Amino acid sequence: MAATLFINAHLLDPDQGLDEIGQLRVEEGKIAAIGRHLPVCGAEVVDLRGQLLTPGWIDIHTHVFTSVGDFCLPADEVGIRSGVTTVVEAGITFPAFCATVASTAQTRAYALILLCSTSPLRISSPIASGWPWIQKIKI
């Protein structure tokens, strides 16, 4: 895998206190360096002048379980093709979601589970019902 050097990018990472124009080098799919005058050293150079370069975005309310209706979009269309690395599905049949979306998408895909008196799941105890994928519920 070749290296890529992103130049003239507006680097924004609130967690690291980073908010500046700079460069970012990726090697073997991982960030190798962040700075202002990084060496090209055979890397493909991509000019991001006028664009943001940030850590992965998370969309916390999506409908990516396309089996339930035409209002849903494929996870990778909502996710990585839109600059979002992680999506959270809001309202699904969990085992089917795991088998058809979470295990096949390039985008990290998680799901919310609605457990209440009006939930279509209507179970008294997910753990007692033998659902191994639910480890702990705090109410």
Side-chain angles (χ1 to χ4, degrees):
M1 181 180 289
T4 305
L5 179 63
F6 297 98
I7 63 170
N8 300 316
H10 181 169
L11 302 170
L12 182 62
D13 184 351
D15 192 46
Q16 303 296 322
L18 187 62
D19 185 2
E20 63 187 47
I21 304 300
Q23 299 179 343
L24 183 136
R25 184 179 177 92
V26 175
E27 296 175 359
E28 302 297 322
K30 296 186 181 197
I31 296 174
I34 299 173
R36 292 188 185 245
H37 304 288
L38 302 177
V40 175
C41 298
E44 173 189 0
V45 177
V46 178
D47 191 341
L48 294 180
R49 187 177 313 275
Q51 298 182 52
L52 283 173
L53 186 57
T54 70
W57 288 80
I58 301 170
D59 188 336
I60 62 168
H61 187 128
T62 64
H63 294 283
V64 296
F65 188 32
T66 56
S67 299
V68 298
D70 58 3
F71 60 92
C72 299
L73 295 169
D76 289 336
E77 187 175 322
V78 173
I80 59 172
R81 292 188 192 115
S82 300
V84 174
T85 61
T86 304
V87 297
V88 179
E89 165 65 39
I92 49 84
T93 304
F94 194 77
F97 171 81
C98 291
T100 61
V101 178
S103 64
T104 61
Q106 290 180 314
T107 303
R108 241 178 279 135
Y110 298 101
L112 298 176
I113 301 174
L114 176 61
L115 295 176
C116 66
S117 62
T118 60
S119 169
L121 297 175
R122 293 196 185 167
I123 55 173
S124 58
S125 171
I127 296 169
S129 299
W131 291 6
W133 36 268
I134 297 179
Q135 296 177 4
K136 186 184 280 187
I137 296 177
K138 291 184 180 180
I139 298 176

